[in-house]
Amino acid sequence: EVQLLQSGGGLVQPGGSLRLSCTASGFTFSTYIMSWVRQAPGKGLERVSGISASGDTTYYADSVKGRFTISRDNSKNTVYLQMDSLRAEDTAIYYCAKAAVADKHYYDYWGQGTLVTVSS
Amino acid sequence: EIMMTHSPATLSVSPGERATLSCRASQSVSGNLAWYQHRPGQAPRLLIYGASTRAAGIPARFSGSGSGTEFTLTISSLQSEDFAVYYCQQYNNWPLTFGGGTKVEIK
């Protein structure tokens, strides 16, 4: 059974940092693209970042470029999202998501979501 | 960036009725379109990929159609668990983009 278990998140002041983690099981983690998708309060879904299976290629939405860093440790079946210089508009539920197939960026499994609140 | 637009924003439907949701892309995405169901407090669930292929375990009452810029998700007979927000997502071009969603509510 595929599972994506998220951790991290919480309340942070503007300008602060947080790291989200997502640990996978039930599939060959090292062969799939992984992404982070968020949903701000009252808003739709936004793909924040993605990382190739090997970790050598990363993707960022313009809204987080230069502030967020995605990485993965295939030996630990874990993908991370380091979030720096956080802003109020980064407040959202963050989901990690697994690409369904190797070269297509739609997502068949999602983590349970973790709330990030940026507020003073 | 390709904009994805849902219509309507909210759809009021009685249980057992048919629901038809539309998604329009600002430029062609070929058949690279997915649909997700999102219930409050849960993770999104993949329903349809490739515009018309049901994902594993998705009931046959869900069907997708369309190509290019116009897409449709049809729920043939709404069940209580189908009341949720539905999102389309294009994966043809970077950046990947989602629509703003259609909320399907009980009439």
Side-chain angles (χ1 to χ4, degrees), chain B:
Chain B
E1 176 173 320
I2 296 178
M3 302 298 294
M4 308 299 293
T5 304
H6 287 268
S7 61
T10 303
L11 186 61
S12 298
V13 185
S14 298
E17 288 188 340
R18 182 186 192 91
T20 302
L21 291 66
S22 295
C23 171
R24 173 178 291 180
S26 59
Q27 65 187 75
S28 177
V29 299
S30 188
N32 294 311
L33 190 285
W35 288 93
Y36 300 88
Q37 178 190 69
H38 196 193
R39 299 185 188 124
Q42 297 187 18
R45 176 191 183 196
L46 176 67
L47 299 175
I48 301 285
Y49 62 91
S52 61
T53 303
R54 273 191 303 278
I58 301 303
R61 65 180 180 274
F62 292 92
S63 63
S65 63
S67 66
T69 62
E70 301 284 344
F71 300 89
T72 300
L73 175 70
T74 301
I75 311 170
S76 60
S77 176
L78 272 156
Q79 307 298 303
S80 57
E81 61 267 29
D82 300 336
F83 292 96
V85 179
Y86 292 83
Y87 295 96
C88 63
Q89 178 225 331
Q90 68 82 18
Y91 51 94
N92 193 65
N93 289 72
W94 298 103
L96 310 180
T97 46
F98 292 87
T102 289
K103 180 179 181 180
V104 177
E105 63 178 24
I106 300 174
K107 187 174 182 180

Side-chain angles (χ1 to χ4, degrees), chain A residues 15-83:
Chain A
S17 298
L18 278 176
R19 188 175 85 155
L20 306 183
S21 300
C22 171
T23 300
S25 60
F27 65 100
T28 307
F29 179 76
S30 61
T31 62
Y32 288 91
I33 291 165
M34 297 295 294
S35 292
W36 290 93
V37 178
R38 70 184 179 185
Q39 184 182 32
K43 303 290 187 181
L45 300 174
E46 178 191 21
R47 198 196 77 152
V48 171
S49 186
I51 188 166
S52 63
S54 64
D56 59 357
T57 304
T58 56
Y59 316 87
Y60 298 96
D62 286 345
S63 57
V64 306
K65 202 171 291 183
R67 301 187 298 121
F68 288 13
T69 304
I70 190 171
S71 62
R72 66 191 295 160
D73 185 338
N74 285 345
S75 70
K76 296 182 178 179
N77 286 359
T78 301
V79 60
Y80 305 96
L81 186 67
Q82 177 67 40
M83 303 183 293

Side-chain angles (χ1 to χ4, degrees), chain A residues 95-119:
Chain A
Y95 298 96
C96 65
K98 166 191 169 290
V101 294
D103 62 344
K104 297 288 187 182
H105 293 242
Y106 60 91
Y107 308 109
D108 58 352
Y109 288 94
W110 298 64
Q112 81 276 19
T114 187
L115 179 61
V116 171
T117 303
V118 184
S119 175

